[in-house]
Amino acid sequence: MRTKIEVRALKKSFESDKGPLPVVEDVSLTVRDGEFIALVGPSGCGKSTLMNMMAGFIQPDAGSIIIDGMLRTRPDSRGILISQQGSVFPWLTVRENLMFGLNGHALPDKRAIADHYADIVGLKGFEDSYAHELSGGMLKRTELARALVVKPEILFMDEPFSALDALMSLRMRNELLRILAKERHTTLLITHDVEEAIHLADRVVVLSPRPTRIQAVFDVPIQHPRRLSSREAQELRVTILSELGVAREELGS
Amino acid sequence: MARIKEMLPALALIAVLIAAWWGAVAATHSVIFPTPWDVVTGTLELLENGTLWRHIAASLLRVGAGFGLAVCVAVPLGLWMGWVAGAYRTLNPIFQILRPISPIAWIPIAILWFGVGDASPIYLIFISSVFPMVVQTTAGVHTIEKRYLRAAENFGVSRRTLFRQVVIPAVLPQVIVGMRIGLGVAWLVVVAAEMIALHSGLGYMIMDARNAGNRYDLVIAGMIIIGLIGLSLDSTMRILEGTRWARWRYAH
């Protein structure tokens, strides 16, 4: 398959009181078109910084991000970032949020496209609602739909479901898989949940503590729909967790 | 019914205060301080000869003109200062010096520049209400959460869309707060301004009632009317806070 994203020797430090603090150190990664990559690592390891650089929001100190053979220097609608805190505009309705990124369409078309995606993520009937009238799960759906509307080639997802309860998080994962099966976006997902990574990703990239480096990469050779209770999935989970420094006896299995 | 029940303690307190006032005037046999009933009859007198409406209209028109002008200047200026760092750095220090100057201190200059007509109080109202609105609007822009601006940047929308769908609606609740403060100050200032050099308005009415024969019943009637109109102006602004443009900010 064609290469979509090529990350080459990426480095980033932030200024602190004690001088420069290296956050990302020499990360190189190749992502194929349509591939789903999960990035897992300890909290505060620089995962978000890495993703922000890939989405074009932060400039690296050294190294480069090449998307479709072109150097990425700033964010654009080909790669939409879905952040942990969420950024659904609270002053717009669900429909207005979904229409936000649509340029160059006539208004009736915009409405039709927005309503179509609202339907896809299961928000039918809530098109005229405001953020404060929605539950946490519905907010995430709105955010996801708003990204999908502009048909982004890449979805950058920074712990999108971590604020949801376990049941809603699982439901959102299944929704995401269902949507991705239809519209094959290249997807990068940051998560601290190894099960989530195994459930969703084609490859799981394990990152080291700060300054972050790629510590290990695991293929997930399991057919969808995946059963997390399967032997394969469980073994992979234990392997990834021990790579993250969780000892086997702590896993209780 | 529940609303009336909630207001009951406040109404009871007002009744007690009026009773105490009445009792105090009766006990001291004051010849100059009016009883509540004197105030009521005084108010009726003003209503009958039509002067009350004339004064109320004069005051409201001045506030409307000065405050309206201030909104037209403060909102664009506040947005500009909030958005452009250089504008903020240049203008903010001057505003911080001008803002604490009481509008009353401007009266001599207002008379010098604008004479003793309507322009002076309008200028004073403008001066007093423009600063709080500029400050609130600027703060509104500064407190737009980065995640929203980043989302807008991510979708690569035009500057027009960015302003119309992100910046303006995000700032609007703060603008409305600024307007509420500004209108409150404007109503305070108009009365003071009218006491100085004018021949109409509620401020003039109060001064005139005192000067033309110690009519303290009319003085107190004027004060109460000023209070009630101020309250209704504030309630109007509160209704704005409840509209869809501002409600998202308070609903959680």
Side-chain angles (χ1 to χ4, degrees):
Chain A
M1 231 185 239
R2 195 166 73 81
T3 297
K4 186 75 188 172
I5 308 170
E6 200 176 343
V7 177
R8 284 187 199 148
L10 217 51
K11 278 186 190 174
K12 183 73 190 176
S13 303
F14 285 126
E15 284 308 315
S16 75
D17 296 339
K18 296 167 199 145
L21 179 74
V23 178
V24 175
E25 190 138 297
D26 203 18
V27 169
S28 295
L29 178 69
T30 304
V31 182
R32 293 185 292 271
D33 193 21
E35 193 175 20
F36 195 130
I37 300 272
L39 301 163
V40 297
S43 53
C45 80
K47 303 183 289 263
S48 292
T49 306
L50 177 61
M51 183 166 277
N52 274 309
M53 283 194 281
M54 293 171 80
F57 285 104
I58 299 178
Q59 293 307 309
D61 295 339
S64 54
I65 296 126
I66 316 277
I67 294 178
D68 289 329
M70 304 247 292
L71 189 67
R72 186 170 191 83
T73 52
R74 58 187 193 84
D76 62 41
S77 61
R78 286 179 305 161
I80 298 291
L81 178 71
I82 294 176
S83 64
Q84 195 178 353
Q85 332 89 300
S87 63
V88 173
F89 301 121
W91 49 82
L92 300 180
T93 62
V94 167
R95 181 184 290 122
E96 288 165 342
N97 263 288
L98 299 201
M99 282 159 56
F100 179 76
L102 287 172
N103 293 319
H105 291 80
L107 188 67
D109 295 342
K110 281 190 188 182
R111 278 182 70 109
I113 297 168
D115 289 357
H116 170 68
Y117 279 93
D119 189 18
I120 284 183
V121 299
L123 281 170
K124 201 179 181 66
F126 292 92
E127 293 89 345
D128 293 313
S129 302
Y130 287 91
H132 63 84
E133 297 164 329
L134 303 176
S135 67
M138 287 158 105
L139 268 179
K140 285 296 165 200
R141 286 160 199 264
T142 309
E143 180 119 30
L144 183 60
R146 187 179 65 180
L148 294 172
V149 157
V150 298
K151 299 206 172 295
E153 294 161 25
I154 307 161
L155 281 175
F156 295 103
M157 308 178 89
D158 187 352
E159 302 207 21
F161 309 141
S162 63
L164 303 176
D165 62 66
L167 189 67
M168 185 52 76
S169 165
L170 186 61
R171 211 179 272 170
M172 287 301 297
R173 282 190 227 158
N174 286 319
E175 297 271 318
L176 181 63
L177 284 174
R178 188 172 58 78
I179 291 163
L180 288 178
K182 267 191 262 177
E183 315 194 358
R184 198 69 204 159
H185 306 275
T186 305
T187 309
L188 280 101
L189 171 84
I190 289 179
T191 179
H192 58 256
D193 181 345
V194 173
E195 278 197 6
E196 183 173 279
I198 295 170
H199 188 178
L200 297 170
D202 302 320
R203 275 193 295 161
V204 178
V205 174
V206 177
L207 300 171
S208 69
R210 200 180 61 214
T212 197
R213 290 185 189 82
I214 292 179
Q215 190 174 309
V217 180
F218 297 92
D219 282 310
V220 186
I222 309 173
Q223 281 293 313
H224 287 286
R226 290 175 179 166
R227 273 180 46 243
L228 292 174
S229 56
S230 74
R231 222 182 112 85
E232 269 181 298
Q234 283 303 314
E235 272 173 9
L236 188 57
R237 174 173 165 267
V238 172
T239 314
I240 293 173
L241 281 172
S242 54
E243 188 64 46
L244 281 164
V246 183
R248 263 160 210 276
E249 33 298 358
E250 289 177 83
L251 295 170
S253 56
Chain B
M1 198 61 212
R3 285 285 304 266
I4 294 170
K5 219 171 184 178
E6 258 175 48
M7 285 167 69
L8 217 54
L11 291 173
L13 179 62
I14 290 170
V16 168
L17 286 174
I18 290 173
W21 164 17
W22 208 322
V25 175
T28 55
H29 303 288
S30 172
V31 286
I32 193 158
F33 205 87
T35 62
W37 182 248
D38 292 335
V39 173
V40 172
T41 54
T43 310
L44 290 173
E45 189 187 312
L46 288 173
L47 278 171
E48 268 162 31
N49 63 27
T51 50
L52 184 58
W53 295 118
R54 196 166 61 82
H55 291 310
I56 289 176
S59 292
L60 283 176
L61 276 175
R62 287 176 191 131
V63 166
F67 175 72
L69 218 58
V71 171
C72 293
V73 171
V75 174
L77 191 62
L79 286 174
W80 185 53
M81 281 172 66
W83 198 250
V84 182
Y88 181 77
R89 278 198 300 271
T90 311
L91 292 172
N92 190 50
I94 297 171
F95 285 177
Q96 294 304 337
I97 295 168
L98 291 176
R99 201 163 63 105
I101 301 174
S102 162
I104 310 297
W106 282 93
I107 288 176
I109 289 175
I111 293 172
L112 179 68
W113 285 349
F114 300 103
V116 291
D118 274 329
S120 274
I122 290 173
Y123 173 73
L124 291 173
I125 291 159
F126 171 81
I127 277 288
S128 59
S129 55
V130 79
F131 293 123
M133 287 194 281
V134 169
V135 168
Q136 287 293 328
T137 308
T138 306
V141 178
H142 284 167
T143 51
I144 299 177
E145 288 183 53
K146 286 279 172 294
R147 55 186 168 141
Y148 299 129
L149 296 175
R150 282 175 54 145
E153 192 187 359
N154 202 170
F155 284 99
V157 295
S158 62
R159 250 187 123 67
R160 200 176 112 99
T161 307
L162 176 69
F163 259 84
R164 280 183 42 186
Q165 294 209 37
V166 181
V167 178
I168 305 274
V171 174
L172 218 48
Q174 289 272 60
V175 171
I176 292 171
V177 169
M179 282 169 72
R180 223 183 121 192
I181 299 171
L183 189 58
V185 178
W187 189 244
L188 285 177
V189 167
V190 72
V191 173
E194 285 167 349
M195 286 186 164
I196 310 300
L198 289 158
H199 295 287
S200 64
L202 290 166
Y204 165 78
M205 191 188 90
I206 286 176
M207 283 318 265
D208 186 52
R210 194 198 80 107
N211 294 339
N214 281 339
R215 289 292 302 275
Y216 277 92
D217 55 335
L218 301 185
V219 170
I220 293 175
M223 288 169 69
I224 292 172
I225 288 160
I226 287 165
L228 292 175
I229 293 176
L231 175 69
S232 55
L233 289 177
D234 198 55
S235 309
T236 312
M237 298 311 288
R238 271 173 180 277
I239 291 170
L240 269 183
E241 279 180 2
T243 55
R244 61 163 282 199
W245 301 289
R247 203 177 43 217
W248 63 266
R249 185 75 194 271
Y250 306 103
H252 279 291

